[in-house]
Amino acid sequence: MADRYPIPPYTLETAREKTRLAEDSWNSRDPEKVAQGYTIDSRWRNRHEFLHGRDEIIAFLTRKWERELEYRLIKELWAFEGNRIAVRFAYECHDLDGNWFRSYGNENWEYDEHGVMAVRHASINDLPITESERAYHWPLGRRPDDHPSLSDLGF
């Protein structure tokens, strides 16, 4: 298996880099691309769902982005040690009926020696918002480097 840099053990700089790379990947909204960041047998807990392996991850992400439209995400490093990283995040999207949401959460990540995520635990809460309350207005895709962070936005 090829290494996915940066690889553990993480430093403050490399943990921040890994966090941004994960954010960028998820903002692509490409399930196949995102799944490459996880081991073949990766284990997830996402809200009430428990997933095992890339095939289940791809199916989950495909369903997710079919119903979470105009998805935009910001992740922020919370803590790290060795091969583990904890982040907090918030994303905005709307459903098929045009109802907007901001979802807040925390993730705990564990990486293998190649820098591929083997375990992901996510806890997420959804907040209905109006379209005028949206804070993420960049074009779909990667968040611009000069866009405010979660901390800057007070989230």
Side-chain angles (χ1 to χ4, degrees):
M1 172 175 280
D3 289 340
R4 290 184 64 98
Y5 290 94
I7 59 173
Y10 295 111
T11 64
L12 178 59
E13 179 181 327
T14 60
R16 282 184 177 148
E17 181 181 356
K18 200 71 164 180
T19 301
R20 181 59 192 243
L21 289 168
E23 175 188 314
D24 292 349
S25 179
W26 279 67
N27 275 326
S28 76
R29 296 171 333 281
D30 179 339
E32 296 279 342
K33 176 183 178 180
V34 174
Q36 294 307 305
Y38 301 91
T39 61
I40 292 290
D41 60 349
S42 185
R43 293 172 302 152
W44 280 26
R45 180 187 52 76
N46 193 89
R47 299 178 191 252
H48 62 278
E49 293 188 63
F50 293 82
L51 310 174
H52 187 259
R54 281 190 189 153
D55 289 342
E56 289 184 16
I57 291 168
I58 291 168
F60 168 83
L61 293 173
T62 299
R63 287 189 316 271
K64 174 182 179 64
W65 290 319
E66 286 173 352
R67 67 180 187 275
E68 293 181 357
L69 307 175
E70 294 193 51
Y71 177 96
R72 291 171 178 85
L73 165 74
I74 299 176
K75 292 184 184 280
E76 189 170 278
L77 178 66
W78 186 255
F80 69 95
E81 182 176 5
N83 69 333
R84 292 180 173 169
I85 296 175
V87 300
R88 63 191 201 92
F89 65 88
Y91 66 84
E92 293 180 350
C93 64
H94 69 80
D95 63 18
L96 293 170
D97 294 324
N99 300 303
W100 282 91
F101 297 89
R102 184 174 305 121
S103 299
Y104 299 93
N106 300 292
E107 293 178 323
N108 298 314
W109 302 337
E110 184 176 303
Y111 288 89
D112 71 6
E113 67 276 10
H114 299 287
V116 183
M117 196 181 302
V119 178
R120 175 183 174 266
H121 296 284
S123 297
I124 307 167
N125 299 298
D126 302 313
L127 175 69
I129 61 173
T130 63
E131 188 167 359
S132 66
E133 293 173 305
R134 292 179 52 215
Y136 303 173
H137 297 282
W138 68 85
L140 290 175
R142 186 178 192 277
R143 175 175 55 101
D145 290 334
D146 61 350
H147 190 280
S149 69
L150 292 180
S151 292
D152 294 335
L153 291 167
F155 295 162

